[in-house]
Amino acid sequence: MTLATMKKGECAIITEFTDLSESFSRRLYDVGISVGSEVRLLSILNFGQLFYISIDDVDLCIRKQEAQKIKIEKI
Amino acid sequence: MRFMLIGNPNVGKTTLFNALTGANAHVGNWSGVTVDKLVGSIKGGNDQLIDLPGTYSVTPSSEDEGVVTYAILHESYNGFINIVDATHLKRNLHLSIQLLEANVPMMVTLNMMDALAKKGLMFDAQRLKEYIPNELVLISARKGEGIESVIDGLAKLSIEKPFKLDYGNTIEKAIAQIIRLIPQNERALDNRWIAIQALEGNEGVYPILPKSEVDKIRMIVLETEKQIIEGKEALSLKGAIFNKRREWIHQVYQACVKPLPGFKEEHQARLTPIDRLLTHPILGILIFLLLMFLIYSLTFDWLGNPISDGFTAVIDNWVTPAISSFLLSLGLHPEGFIYGALIEGVVAGVGGVIVFLPQILILFFCLSLMEATGYMARVAIVMDYIFSGFGLNGKAVVPLITGFGCNVPAIMATRTIPDKFERIKTMMIIPFMSCSARLPVYVLFVGIFFKKSQSLIIMGLYLLGIIVALLSAKLLSVSIFKKTQSQFILEVPPYRVPQFKNLMNQTFSRGSDFIHTAGKFIVLGSVVLWLLKDLGPSGLHVPDDQSYLALLGGVLAPVFLPLGFGTWQAASSLVVGFLAKELVASSILIICGAETGILALFTPLQAFSFLVFSLLYIPCLSTVGVMYQETKSLKVTTLMVIFGVVVAYLVSFVIYQLGLLIL
């Protein structure tokens, strides 16, 4: 399961980053996202290309290609 | 005493800075960094406050953020003020930990207490003391609440109990090893901070360490990373540090943040209806285009141009004659060299900048408004769909659109793009957006050569600019910038009611930026141009076709033969156009005498090719100046200019040669 397979409104825990670039994962840490973070998918935008998520108290958007590299486990 | 104000982006840092200092801040420089340093003196005393750029982490991911490490290491200060957004405590505390670890006297100011209450939460400040013993002040910066307590608190800032977060055996061992390698020093900073930053991968700490130790420290970092991964403690060293911090933050959050009694907590974060509309892939774009159209009408037709025309009238009818008669009264000869250089060079140049100012201020105000309300993030979302296909970031939309007005503020607006290379890429294509100064050129030529389909041709040119810009972005992405991956993490801030005072401050500081840079170049350029036009091999006041400008045009003319306009008149007006694009129109009109002269000089196809070249070739001098100011790199600026000229040449060449074949 990756973040890209989540459905709107669902919640999940991030279990792994696969093949994310160093700088991108660093950026994720900066905004407070890492393995173990609880994500909620708020919406899928731009015809399925952009994932609008909420983690802790931060709302942000990431692209599909990166969402596919973030493994999750639904809760 | 000197304090540094540090906090995440979008937490009200600017508002607090303004509240603490009034409006007396001045801009300074960090040596070796392009980011401005804002210093103000705190009200009611001699204390100074340094405003650092908003950052999520001390370990830099962007140029802006690198400044924070630099300042912590090199700036002289007596303490930090860490501004924390109470409504985003979990994320904000990551930065607070990194600052606390420095063990420098620090005040924590919790902002947006009012917004926290609105969310149905309350904050237990007493409990926070158990975790963070530092001076704590609860404020609401936009309401001006708690500002006095901040100022009072600064006087008694001290370290009661050093802060220490335990990172577990593996990392603590590494920290101890690194600390031993850091030589004794005078810094107020805790060496433990340097060790942790090194382990986190902050390259910024190495320059202050002796070269002999740097390699040893790097080895320890690598070794620790290996141990962490092999011991399955975390996926990376950075991750392991992050996890420990997050654990601690969750403890703090559990202890200090409680639901207000009687308030039904909203469990599910969800999109508001307005957000659903603004981020809709089709409606969102339509709304954005409509808004842009309104901003444009306001900037140019409704408000900007009338004011500008007024300015022009005042300058032409009052200022110039006044300066002129003053100079004459000094005994200068009206045919003389100094008089000409001052009136036709300096005064005309300065006038040219000032006349543009109303439009630019209005445009900046509208853009600041879009940013402050949080709408800009929504625009970046909807445009990312189109832009990502061309290797651009959704955030590039605003600079590009601004480019239709004037390329100078457009280049400045690229500051919102975090990745350096994406930013440079965006800067390189901005000049293809047809700025308002190019319109007079189109109007002149279209009126002469394409009477029947005027607006069609002009629209076509605008469209051509957009197409060339997007294709160039694609081209750059697969060539020079092949290695840089386009990344898009866009934090979506909540909607906020902007503060008028902040908007005005921002507008005027951007406006004065524009005057400083563009002004310098335009004035200098005007004088040089006047000299070129007035001087010739035979001396002063030569006829136009014997001036150095004409000679230069003559030298360049053969280059333009394959494009269809290899005449010295066309070439020298393009040279003049480098100063300001609207001058292409006026100078060719002057050089050719009248419209009939132009008609004799070009065929319609040649005229069109000339227009395409005028649209695309080097941006004006001010734009080049701003590019240099923003990149601080001669190499990058030169690359941008050459790229523009080459693209212009190729496109005009293809159009002219194809035209010859077809017609």
Side-chain angles (χ1 to χ4, degrees), chain B residues 267-310:
Chain B
H267 278 290
Q268 292 208 347
R270 47 169 54 238
L271 289 195
T272 56
I274 182 137
D275 232 3
R276 231 171 283 151
L277 186 67
L278 292 181
T279 59
H280 188 278
I282 295 161
L283 293 178
I285 289 182
L286 288 179
I287 292 172
F288 170 62
L289 291 179
L290 186 72
L291 212 64
M292 271 296 147
F293 177 74
L294 284 180
I295 291 178
Y296 268 83
S297 306
L298 188 71
T299 307
F300 295 101
D301 297 340
W302 299 341
L303 208 58
N305 289 356
I307 300 177
S308 236
D309 291 346

Side-chain angles (χ1 to χ4, degrees), chain B residues 150-467:
Chain B
V150 174
I151 296 175
D152 292 344
L154 283 177
K156 45 185 178 183
L157 220 51
S158 65
I159 309 171
E160 285 167 31
K161 199 172 84 188
F163 179 89
K164 191 178 169 194
L165 182 66
D166 192 316
Y167 287 103
N169 284 342
T170 320
I171 295 175
E172 286 298 331
K173 212 176 79 208
I175 293 174
Q177 283 174 336
I178 295 175
I179 289 178
R180 271 192 299 259
L181 294 172
I182 302 171
Q184 288 297 320
N185 58 60
E186 304 285 303
R187 254 174 252 116
L189 203 61
D190 197 335
N191 283 345
R192 185 180 159 85
W193 183 86
I194 298 176
I196 296 171
Q197 287 299 317
L199 286 165
E200 267 195 80
N202 187 349
E203 289 291 318
V205 298
Y206 290 115
I208 62 155
L209 298 171
K211 283 211 168 55
S212 53
E213 311 296 343
V214 167
D215 289 335
K216 288 185 206 161
I217 294 176
R218 284 188 196 276
M219 278 303 294
I220 296 172
V221 174
L222 281 178
E223 182 58 34
T224 318
E225 173 111 45
K226 219 172 96 193
Q227 284 172 19
I228 293 278
I229 294 170
E230 279 171 5
K232 296 215 184 325
E233 289 181 49
L235 294 174
S236 66
L237 178 55
K238 173 107 182 157
I241 296 174
F242 182 91
N243 289 344
K244 285 286 173 196
R245 287 180 181 158
R246 188 174 51 190
E247 261 171 46
W248 184 82
I249 289 171
H250 272 268
Q251 282 174 24
V252 174
Y253 192 85
Q254 293 298 334
C256 305
V257 182
K258 302 264 160 57
L260 277 173
F263 202 98
K264 226 175 105 194
E265 202 185 340
E266 205 181 308
H267 278 290
Q268 292 208 347
R270 47 169 54 238
L271 289 195
T272 56
I274 182 137
D275 232 3
R276 231 171 283 151
L277 186 67
L278 292 181
T279 59
H280 188 278
I282 295 161
L283 293 178
I285 289 182
L286 288 179
I287 292 172
F288 170 62
L289 291 179
L290 186 72
L291 212 64
M292 271 296 147
F293 177 74
L294 284 180
I295 291 178
Y296 268 83
S297 306
L298 188 71
T299 307
F300 295 101
D301 297 340
W302 299 341
L303 208 58
N305 289 356
I307 300 177
S308 236
D309 291 346
F311 269 31
T312 315
V314 169
I315 289 172
D316 287 354
N317 298 330
W318 301 83
V319 180
T320 311
I323 296 175
S324 161
S325 55
F326 172 72
L327 290 177
L328 293 178
S329 75
L330 288 180
L332 287 173
H333 197 272
E335 294 287 302
F337 189 71
I338 299 174
Y339 178 86
L342 283 177
I343 291 291
E344 288 176 41
V346 178
V347 174
V350 174
V353 185
I354 291 177
V355 160
F356 259 120
L357 200 59
Q359 283 101 327
I360 284 183
L361 287 181
I362 297 167
L363 194 65
F364 279 158
F365 183 84
C366 296
L367 292 176
S368 304
L369 188 66
M370 284 173 69
E371 250 169 276
T373 51
Y375 176 62
M376 204 73 105
R378 277 76 185 179
V379 177
I381 288 175
V382 288
M383 292 309 282
D384 189 60
Y385 180 60
I386 298 169
F387 279 11
S388 59
F390 295 98
L392 288 171
N393 194 307
K395 292 176 185 169
V397 64
V398 173
L400 290 177
I401 298 265
T402 312
F404 284 126
C406 176
N407 288 177
V408 172
I411 302 264
M412 289 179 184
T414 57
R415 285 178 196 174
T416 52
I417 300 170
D419 184 78
K420 191 180 161 196
F421 293 107
E422 279 204 348
R423 190 176 164 208
I424 291 177
K425 201 156 62 180
T426 312
M427 280 188 195
M428 286 177 81
I429 62 166
I430 282 175
F432 299 138
M433 309 311 275
S434 181
C435 71
S436 54
R438 290 168 227 188
L439 200 56
V441 191
Y442 306 158
V443 172
L444 176 72
F445 275 76
V446 167
I448 299 173
F449 292 99
F450 309 102
K451 282 207 179 78
K452 279 183 195 147
S453 45
Q454 296 197 7
S455 39
L456 199 69
I457 296 274
I458 292 183
M459 264 170 57
L461 285 165
Y462 272 84
L463 202 63
L464 180 73
I466 298 172
I467 293 169

Side-chain angles (χ1 to χ4, degrees), chain A residues 21 23-24 26-37 40 42-43 45-47 49-50 52 54 56-63, chain B residues 56-57 61 87-91 200-201 235-236 238-239 242-243 246 269 271 275 279 381 384-385 388 392 485-490 492:
Chain A
S21 73
S23 62
F24 193 83
R26 166 163 290 183
R27 198 80 208 159
L28 286 177
Y29 282 130
D30 285 350
V31 288
I33 302 171
S34 86
V35 172
S37 297
R40 173 184 292 276
L42 294 178
S43 188
L45 302 169
N46 293 355
F47 308 110
Q49 293 308 303
L50 210 60
Y52 193 168
S54 169
D56 281 343
D57 37 28
V58 191
D59 293 349
L60 38 98
C61 285
I62 55 174
R63 285 182 185 155
Chain B
Y56 293 117
S57 161
S61 300
T87 60
H88 291 88
L89 204 58
K90 286 184 196 162
R91 188 199 48 206
E200 267 195 80
L235 294 174
S236 66
K238 173 107 182 157
F242 182 91
N243 289 344
R246 188 174 51 190
L271 289 195
D275 232 3
T279 59
I381 288 175
D384 189 60
Y385 180 60
S388 59
L392 288 171
Q485 296 163 311
S486 171
Q487 299 180 344
F488 190 72
I489 301 185
L490 180 78
V492 189

Side-chain angles (χ1 to χ4, degrees), chain B residues 552-606:
Chain B
L552 187 61
V555 173
L556 289 175
V559 181
F560 297 117
L561 268 179
L563 310 187
F565 46 89
T567 55
W568 74 264
Q569 292 95 327
S572 49
S573 69
L574 286 173
V575 172
V576 177
F578 176 47
L579 186 63
K581 289 241 176 157
E582 69 268 29
L583 293 182
V584 173
S586 54
S587 68
I588 199 144
L589 208 54
I590 293 168
I591 294 171
C592 296
E595 293 192 0
T596 45
I598 299 177
L599 201 54
L601 202 61
F602 297 93
T603 67
L605 179 62
Q606 288 168 340

Side-chain angles (χ1 to χ4, degrees), chain A residues 56-58, chain B residues 8 11 82-97 108-111 113 116 119 121-124 128 132 136 138 245-246 248-258:
Chain A
D56 281 343
D57 37 28
V58 191
Chain B
N8 284 12
V11 296
N82 175 213
I83 175 166
V84 171
D85 175 356
T87 60
H88 291 88
L89 204 58
K90 286 184 196 162
R91 188 199 48 206
N92 276 240
L93 285 178
H94 279 279
L95 178 64
S96 302
I97 293 175
V108 177
T109 57
L110 270 180
N111 192 19
M113 293 311 293
L116 190 70
K119 278 177 98 177
L121 298 169
M122 61 176 211
F123 188 81
D124 189 341
L128 187 70
I132 304 175
L136 174 75
L138 307 182
R245 287 180 181 158
R246 188 174 51 190
W248 184 82
I249 289 171
H250 272 268
Q251 282 174 24
V252 174
Y253 192 85
Q254 293 298 334
C256 305
V257 182
K258 302 264 160 57

